[in-house]
Amino acid sequence: MSTAEGNVGIALALVCGAGAATAIGSSVVFFPSLVKLASRRVLAASLGLSAGVMTYVSFVEIFVKSVDGFVGAGVDPDHAFIYATLSFFGGVIFMLVVDALVRFLSDQCNREKDCDNDQEVVAPHCVGCSDDPVAELNEWQQRAEEELRGDTNTKTSATIQSNEIGTTNDEDNSDGNNSNDSFKDNQESKVESGNKVVLENAPSNAELEQKKLVKMGLSTAVAIALHNFPEGLATFVAALNDPSVGAVLAIAIGIHNIPEGLCVALPIYYATGNRWKAFMWGCLSGISEPVAALLGWAVLANSMSDTVYAILFGLVSGMMVIISMKELIPTAHRYDPEDTVVTYSLIGGMIIIALSLVLFKL
């Protein structure tokens, strides 16, 4: 009990670090060149690696701690295993219910008449949740390349026109001022069109864009928060009892939070042209994790016991496994249907966590 209380600061720091990883993924809206690095294999490998870490640590470490917790509470070892197993599948069922609720909230906007008339900006509630994530990724990379090409063309045009203006000023000073003014107007318009992502179907009215973001915001924000809430609670509970296990789990969650932030921020940016709004919505997907940790500590601070720890560890192991099996691995295969990196990264994640746990025990 005293050890757990002493680990509260470490546990909160690990949860905040995992949640902040979404900001790393969201920050690509400020660096279009980084979007081109987010290839299908890179995303598939990161998701497979994270799934390997989470699956291995759930079965080998967290589930075992659940059994030990029940034994420490005075339960017979055979019954302790049964209780841990029930807790495990309780976590699985809990995540399935959360996933169903998240999908309901995400699809709510599509049932409204207003959304049928307008083109809504809907951010995915998880990585790869779109109908065709590969086509979506290709579209993002193409737009990033167009944006970079537009910036290059703007700089080139500005340089050429500057040279022309310099020549004109040498030949005719009176016409130079008019040419310079014309150049400034042209350059400003080109810079504006070069730095702003122009979409054929993007709304042209700023107020309309804002209204659409507000419509999108409620359902998507709640969906993202519900989706990541259990991950924050799981990391906090694991770190509270054993910071080494919590650190490994935080790293695994942080790895797949990076592409999650990217997949949330980029659609909003390419629909609105506003980098900061896209970055904010991307970061929102990770805020719920430290919130979950704080709420978990507020509820459990005065009721921690071996039995409570055992139940929580069983729930956490089930939640982590179903997240890996239902979300991370299927999405990784959607990005890599030929399985060129998914299986190897999955095994690699297991090897990494196994070596880490061995070193922690030495």
Side-chain angles (χ1 to χ4, degrees):
M1 186 74 174
S2 60
T3 302
E5 292 177 353
N7 293 333
V8 172
I10 298 175
L12 288 175
L14 290 174
V15 174
C16 291
T22 57
I24 299 176
S26 303
S27 64
V28 298
V29 297
F30 300 103
F31 309 99
S33 59
L34 294 181
V35 178
K36 300 176 67 176
L37 298 179
S39 65
R40 291 189 302 145
R41 288 187 176 183
V42 170
L43 289 176
S46 64
L47 293 173
L49 185 72
S50 180
V53 171
M54 293 170 64
T55 302
Y56 186 91
V57 76
S58 296
F59 282 124
V60 174
E61 191 75 15
I62 300 179
F63 182 80
V64 173
K65 286 183 177 294
S66 178
V67 176
D68 293 341
F70 281 113
V71 172
V75 179
D76 178 79
D78 293 334
H79 290 86
F81 184 85
I82 295 174
Y83 295 155
T85 301
L86 292 175
S87 299
F88 174 89
F89 285 104
V92 171
I93 294 173
F94 174 75
M95 282 306 302
L96 291 176
V97 172
V98 170
D99 185 69
L101 180 60
V102 166
R103 292 184 182 278
F104 172 78
L105 293 174
S106 298
D107 296 338
Q108 190 70 14
C109 183
N110 295 329
R111 300 189 182 96
E112 298 177 0
K113 294 182 179 180
D114 293 339
C115 294
D116 294 332
N117 298 328
D118 299 329
Q119 292 184 349
E120 279 296 307
V121 181
V122 180
H125 64 272
C126 65
V127 181
C129 286
S130 61
D131 294 333
D132 191 350
V134 175
E136 188 177 51
L137 177 62
N138 292 336
E139 181 183 0
W140 295 342
Q141 292 179 334
Q142 181 180 359
R143 290 181 176 179
E145 186 174 354
E146 292 175 356
E147 185 177 2
L148 290 172
R149 191 184 305 120
D151 291 340
T152 303
N153 292 338
T154 299
K155 294 178 181 179
T156 303
S157 300
T159 302
I160 294 174
Q161 292 194 28
S162 297
N163 293 335
E164 292 176 353
I165 291 174
T167 303
T168 303
N169 286 337
D170 292 338
E171 294 176 353
D172 188 354
N173 291 332
S174 62
D175 293 338
N177 293 332
N178 294 331
S179 298
N180 191 35
D181 294 338
S182 176
F183 160 70
K184 289 181 179 179
D185 294 337
N186 291 335
Q187 186 178 6
E188 289 176 357
S189 63
K190 290 184 178 181
V191 170
E192 182 179 357
S193 63
N195 289 338
K196 184 176 180 180
V197 178
V198 180
L199 303 177
E200 295 180 358
N201 298 326
S204 57
N205 189 297
E207 294 182 357
L208 180 60
E209 292 179 9
Q210 184 64 27
K211 290 180 180 179
K212 288 184 176 182
L213 277 175
V214 171
K215 288 181 182 179
M216 176 273 296
L218 182 59
S219 61
T220 302
V222 174
I224 291 173
L226 287 175
H227 185 265
N228 286 335
F229 190 91
E231 296 179 358
L233 182 61
T235 305
F236 179 76
V237 171
L240 201 61
N241 180 264
D242 190 341
S244 62
V245 176
V248 171
L249 198 57
I251 292 173
I253 292 176
I255 290 174
H256 85 258
N257 276 350
I258 294 176
E260 181 177 83
L262 179 147
C263 293
V264 171
L266 282 180
I268 298 177
Y269 168 54
Y270 286 133
T272 65
N274 191 311
R275 301 179 194 271
W276 283 106
K277 284 183 179 179
F279 180 75
M280 179 192 68
W281 283 105
C283 293
L284 180 65
S285 63
I287 292 179
S288 61
E289 294 185 11
V291 171
L294 292 174
L295 290 178
W297 177 244
V299 173
L300 301 173
N302 298 321
S303 60
M304 280 297 184
S305 64
D306 289 337
T307 302
V308 173
Y309 266 124
I311 295 174
L312 288 176
F313 275 122
L315 293 173
V316 166
S317 61
M319 289 190 294
M320 294 298 98
V321 169
I322 194 61
I323 288 173
S324 300
M325 299 300 175
K326 193 174 187 298
E327 178 186 330
L328 300 184
I329 295 177
T331 303
H333 279 296
R334 294 179 73 183
Y335 282 121
D336 181 28
E338 298 84 8
D339 193 17
T340 58
V341 297
V342 175
T343 299
Y344 300 110
S345 61
L346 181 70
I347 297 174
M350 292 183 178
I351 294 175
I352 291 173
I353 181 58
L355 293 175
S356 300
L357 293 175
V358 169
L359 291 176
F360 279 127
K361 294 182 182 298
L362 292 178

